[in-house]
């Protein structure tokens, strides 16, 4: 891989994905399909309504998700992954894989340190 640091666009990608909730929101929309706001909130009980709204708006602004408002009473709003947003699926999968490996690595390192500290 030959990426010149001065031309690196990793910060562009991280600007879209960074945050505790955006990857989780995206994974729910990718794996479970179109969701209403209340359904997303139910899937992520620890997120506040304000934070979910903020994250959804940011993802919509970047054309990563679609937001459809149905003209009815009460209003119905649905969120789905956009065609463009689907291109993030392999990135999220690789990040998940790396994160899993990293968690295992750190656990082994801590266990090794605890063992040597006990001696």
């Amino acid at each position: 891989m030959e990426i010149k640091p001065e031309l690196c666009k990793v910060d562009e990608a991280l600007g879209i994905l960074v945050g505790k909730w955006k990857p989780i929101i995206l994974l729910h929309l990718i794996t479970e399909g179109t969701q209403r706001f209340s359904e997303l909130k139910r899937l992520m009980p620890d997120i506040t309504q304000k934070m979910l709204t903020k994250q959804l708006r940011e993802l919509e602004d970047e054309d990563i998700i679609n937001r459809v408002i149905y003209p009815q009473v009460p209003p119905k709003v649905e969120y789905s992954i956009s065609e463009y947003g689907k291109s993030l699926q392999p990135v999220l999968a690789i990040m998940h894989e790396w994160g899993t490996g990293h968690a295992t690595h750190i656990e082994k390192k801590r266990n090794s340190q605890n063992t040597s500290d006990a001696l």
Side-chain angles (χ1 to χ4, degrees):
M1 174 169 69
E2 193 173 320
I3 300 173
K4 295 181 180 182
E6 65 273 11
L7 301 176
C8 182
K9 296 297 181 189
V10 171
D11 59 330
E12 290 285 329
L14 289 177
I16 293 167
L17 292 175
V18 79
K20 179 178 179 178
W21 298 107
K22 285 181 184 177
I24 305 301
I25 291 167
L26 292 172
L27 287 170
H28 279 301
L29 294 176
I30 288 169
T31 59
E32 298 172 38
T34 301
Q35 300 286 312
R36 295 180 71 174
F37 185 91
S38 60
E39 292 168 328
L40 286 168
K41 180 71 176 93
R42 198 173 313 113
L43 291 168
M44 299 175 287
D46 293 336
I47 192 171
T48 64
Q49 186 167 331
K50 181 179 177 182
M51 181 57 70
L52 180 55
T53 299
K54 180 181 183 292
Q55 302 288 278
L56 288 169
R57 283 186 184 151
E58 289 175 7
L59 290 168
E60 182 185 8
D61 288 345
E62 295 291 341
D63 195 32
I64 305 300
I65 64 170
N66 297 316
R67 178 176 178 245
V68 178
I69 304 168
Y70 295 93
Q72 64 186 48
V73 178
K76 178 181 173 183
V77 180
E78 290 183 335
Y79 297 90
S80 62
I81 193 82
S82 69
E83 279 303 312
Y84 178 64
K86 288 178 184 176
S87 66
L88 285 171
Q89 191 168 358
V91 174
L92 292 169
I94 288 169
M95 289 175 72
H96 169 73
E97 196 174 304
W98 188 89
T100 300
H102 179 68
T104 301
H105 170 78
I106 293 300
E107 184 178 333
K108 285 180 183 176
K109 180 180 176 185
R110 287 185 184 138
N111 288 339
S112 172
Q113 287 174 342
N114 290 340
T115 302
S116 64
D117 289 347
L119 298 176

